[in-house]
Amino acid sequence: MIDYAQALQRLLQQVMPQAAESCLLADAAGRISAGAVHSPIALPTFDHAAMDGYALAADEPLLAGSEHAVSGSRAAGDGACASGGECCEIMTGAQLPAGLNSVVAVENTHMLETHADGTPARIRLLQALAPGQNVRYAGSDVAPGTPVLSAGARLDSADVMLLAALGIGRIDVVRRPRVAIVGTGKELQADATQPLVSGRIHNSNGPYLVAALRAAGAHVLLCETVDDTPATYIDALRQAVDAGADLVISTGAVSMGRHDFVPATLDRLGAQQLFHGVAIRPGKPLLCARLVAGPLIFAMPGTPMAVAAAIRFFVSPMLRAMAGQAAELPLHAVLDTPQQPKPGLRHFLRATLHQDRDGRLHARVLAQQQPFRIRPFAEAGAWVVLPEGAADCARDSMVEVVGLLHGHPPRIDPPPP
């Protein structure tokens, strides 16, 4: 049995970066950028009015009480033009006419005369106007050539807004890792719409893995449930290989019992074993191997929390590495519930988080940590990580916390009453 850091290192040494592919910007949210993106244009692309009012030429401050003849009107979307005079009515977002450099808000003017059609003809300033006032200058938000997105960044809606404003309709993103899921166990009933047969249980690991892996940015190729025989397991592995899987995740039959056939089956297939057994809780019997000229096989116990911990602390770092992302940075919180972890094991504990009045983050480890219990996991907002040498952790100790899922921050609940 090896420790967590050794296991993760061996796992990451097997990771191959994913290739890039072109993606429509409309489909890019949640994807990982394959390279840095630089602005092709200035943003704004031209000098324009920040508000409705009048554009004027103000090489020096214009004093309150000064009067100005109005020539023409400009609305957002009108093309470039010369001023044709000393003052022009202008609307928010409209391009400044050439020769005019400042905008006075309409509420800071008094109408003196109108044309026959009712448009402004002459105004008086009610306040002084400084050169450049109320103008949004070209490039003041983004200059041409400015880096706007780094390689390995997960695109969110704000990135989509910025790239769209820059006229970028497609972007190179990292191809989603292709993952196949194989759940073992004759006790598993895959069809949740049917009443349970005696001795069977609903398959919760399969739907969880599909949801968690998709949320982490993976492309789930298949999710198969097989019985406790090597033949059906091998057949599912072949399906995964034929589908082009980069990674196969299996659950169950990986420990030391008489029906735990996965280790021997992988040996018989000639798979290169990277490790079998990691000093963690939950999930100690984890196994990782690589098929000959094939994908990685990550086999985990079938208990729900062993599956959840393995996905969060092994598969998630691997998916980040495949996408060219750096390792994530953990948060730290004040521990509200003392812990006595077993020496020599790294513990992954379900917890809730809240902030105190001083803004400090607090973690409360939930009472029922047995690996078969699912409800505490659904109630949790984060994992608390206690390293192998943590010893007894007193109340008010600082502990490491991470979100329940890769790419999703911890959930912070309201403070307790």
Side-chain angles (χ1 to χ4, degrees), residues 24-172:
L24 285 171
L25 184 61
D27 300 323
R31 301 296 297 271
I32 307 300
S33 61
V37 177
H38 295 76
S39 175
I41 60 172
L43 190 67
T45 54
F46 50 82
D47 298 347
H48 66 266
M51 57 187 61
D52 294 341
Y54 298 91
L56 297 105
D59 296 328
E60 296 180 352
L62 300 177
L63 300 179
S66 59
E67 298 181 5
H68 305 273
V70 180
S71 301
S73 181
R74 307 297 297 169
D78 290 345
C81 71
S83 64
E86 62 172 312
C87 177
C88 178
E89 184 185 29
I90 197 163
M91 309 304 165
T92 303
Q95 186 170 358
L96 258 67
L100 305 184
N101 66 352
S102 307
V103 174
V104 59
V106 66
E107 59 267 26
N108 292 329
T109 65
H110 176 67
M111 183 81 69
L112 296 175
E113 298 177 24
T114 60
H115 295 292
D117 60 2
T119 58
R122 191 170 188 82
I123 61 167
R124 177 187 296 128
L125 301 189
L126 301 179
Q127 293 183 1
L129 181 67
Q133 190 171 339
N134 301 323
V135 173
R136 299 169 181 160
Y137 286 101
S140 58
D141 189 7
V142 181
T146 299
V148 292
L149 194 68
S150 59
R154 182 182 294 273
L155 281 86
D156 59 21
S157 54
D159 296 315
V160 171
M161 175 187 280
L162 177 57
L163 296 176
L166 296 172
I168 297 174
R170 300 192 71 92
I171 183 172
D172 288 341

